[in-house]
Amino acid sequence: MKIYVAARFFDKEKVKEIYRQLKAGGHQVTEDWTKHANSKKPYSDNPKMHKKYSTEDMTGVLNCDVFILLTNKEIGSGSSTELGAAIALNASSKKPKIYVIGKEIGN
């Protein structure tokens, strides 16, 4: 399966471990955003880099069979946008399957 994992940037070590396990199980990660440089705000300080990263990430969401969001106390704008895109895509095409995982689900 083709899988995209969304999370806060500071949770990237958790995501790397998830990627390792997914790949060991024969799955494909549609976009490895953990390789991105730390994209600190304000985004206007480096718009080309942020546009590139955003485009790559959204392409990963659009191409996945399964979308996983790892929750965090602090809600991220990027992962929230990616979740919204996955929900919109699912509403129109019934894919990807969406899973929200973590202790902070009710927030």
Side-chain angles (χ1 to χ4, degrees):
M1 294 192 122
K2 297 185 291 184
I3 302 173
Y4 185 87
V5 180
R8 295 299 310 266
F9 191 80
F10 52 76
D11 284 332
K12 74 178 187 175
E13 293 306 317
K14 289 180 190 176
V15 175
K16 285 180 182 182
E17 175 58 23
I18 292 168
Y19 287 168
R20 187 191 67 70
Q21 292 177 24
L22 290 170
K23 289 175 182 177
H27 300 289
Q28 175 188 347
V29 173
T30 58
E31 175 56 35
D32 185 354
W33 57 264
T34 65
K35 294 179 180 178
H36 293 173
N38 190 357
S39 53
K40 295 188 181 211
K41 296 176 184 177
Y43 296 138
S44 59
D45 285 354
N46 196 338
K48 286 183 182 180
M49 179 182 74
H50 292 288
K51 180 179 179 180
K52 178 181 183 297
Y53 289 171
S54 297
T55 301
E56 290 171 353
D57 294 348
M58 290 308 289
T59 300
V61 173
L62 295 173
N63 291 325
C64 71
D65 301 312
V66 174
F67 176 92
I68 300 169
L69 172 65
L70 302 182
T71 64
N72 191 291
K73 279 191 241 185
E74 297 178 37
I75 297 170
S77 59
S79 56
S80 295
T81 301
E82 293 158 2
L83 175 61
I87 291 169
L89 186 60
N90 179 279
S92 65
S93 68
K94 303 298 182 216
K95 87 170 210 183
K97 291 185 179 182
I98 300 170
Y99 298 92
V100 179
I101 301 169
K103 296 177 185 176
E104 310 300 332
I105 292 176
N107 294 345

